[in-house]
Amino acid sequence: MLATIQRTGSGYTVVFERKLRHPKEEVWSYFTDNEKLPKWFSELRVEDLQEGGHLSFNMGDGSYETMRITAYEPLSVLAFTWGEDMAVRFELHEEEGGCMLQLIESILKPSEHTPKDLAGWHVCLDVIQSLLDNGQPLAARREHWEHWYPKYQDALQQLGPL
């Protein structure tokens, strides 16, 4: 299912949701355990897991971007900055038979790259779900991204120019 996208001032708030048939503890580990993070987001690493701490993003050229953790509640909330124009927030909510995972992205300065990022997050969440359900990452990840990318392009175009 496509994320919900709302215009907010000069940017967007995007909410992805996944109902997962797994306990919060198991899901949470995919966001906080450096052994599991690379299985769905190989460039991301937890450095200091606490509010005010940080994550690092491997830029692929030998440099790293530091992302400050702005909110942290064990088994519930992990939020961090991403550059000067984005904030990312993962929330887990207990539900019967598992939990609800929400990814809330605040995009302050959208660009032509925004639909690519949204399709990327969509695929990342599907990879996590596949890992949890099947113990394997999503097959044909690139093709999956290519399916979702035009859908996010269309959704943003339907909102009109900022």
Side-chain angles (χ1 to χ4, degrees), residues 22-39:
H22 303 273
K24 285 173 58 171
E25 296 81 6
E26 187 178 357
V27 177
W28 184 251
S29 68
Y30 279 91
F31 301 103
T32 58
D33 182 335
N34 282 329
E35 304 245 339
K36 291 186 177 179
L37 265 169
K39 294 180 180 183

Side-chain angles (χ1 to χ4, degrees), residues 6-136:
Q6 293 183 330
R7 188 185 311 252
T8 54
S10 64
Y12 302 108
T13 297
V14 183
V15 179
F16 297 85
E17 292 187 333
R18 295 291 187 283
K19 170 75 170 121
L20 302 170
R21 299 181 318 259
H22 303 273
K24 285 173 58 171
E25 296 81 6
E26 187 178 357
V27 177
W28 184 251
S29 68
Y30 279 91
F31 301 103
T32 58
D33 182 335
N34 282 329
E35 304 245 339
K36 291 186 177 179
L37 265 169
K39 294 180 180 183
W40 69 275
F41 203 141
S42 61
E43 300 85 3
L44 198 59
R45 183 162 187 78
V46 173
E47 301 294 343
D48 184 13
L49 190 58
Q50 63 179 327
E51 189 166 331
H54 68 281
L55 296 95
S56 63
F57 180 80
N58 184 341
M59 300 296 287
D61 60 4
S63 67
Y64 292 83
E65 181 175 339
T66 298
M67 299 175 294
R68 187 174 54 84
I69 297 174
T70 57
Y72 176 75
E73 298 172 31
L75 301 176
S76 183
V77 175
L78 175 61
F80 51 92
T81 59
W82 195 307
E84 296 177 11
D85 60 351
M86 282 189 292
V88 177
R89 182 179 180 94
F90 292 101
E91 294 185 6
L92 288 178
H93 304 278
E94 193 93 31
E95 289 197 356
E96 186 175 327
C99 65
M100 174 63 72
L101 166 61
Q102 288 186 313
L103 163 54
I104 304 158
E105 184 175 25
S106 300
I107 304 166
L108 305 176
K109 298 176 187 170
S111 71
E112 68 280 346
H113 203 269
T114 299
K116 293 177 183 177
D117 292 339
L118 298 180
W121 280 124
H122 190 111
V123 172
C124 282
L125 296 179
D126 288 349
V127 169
I128 292 169
Q129 187 162 8
S130 180
L131 286 163
L132 288 163
D133 289 349
N134 309 314
Q136 298 292 320

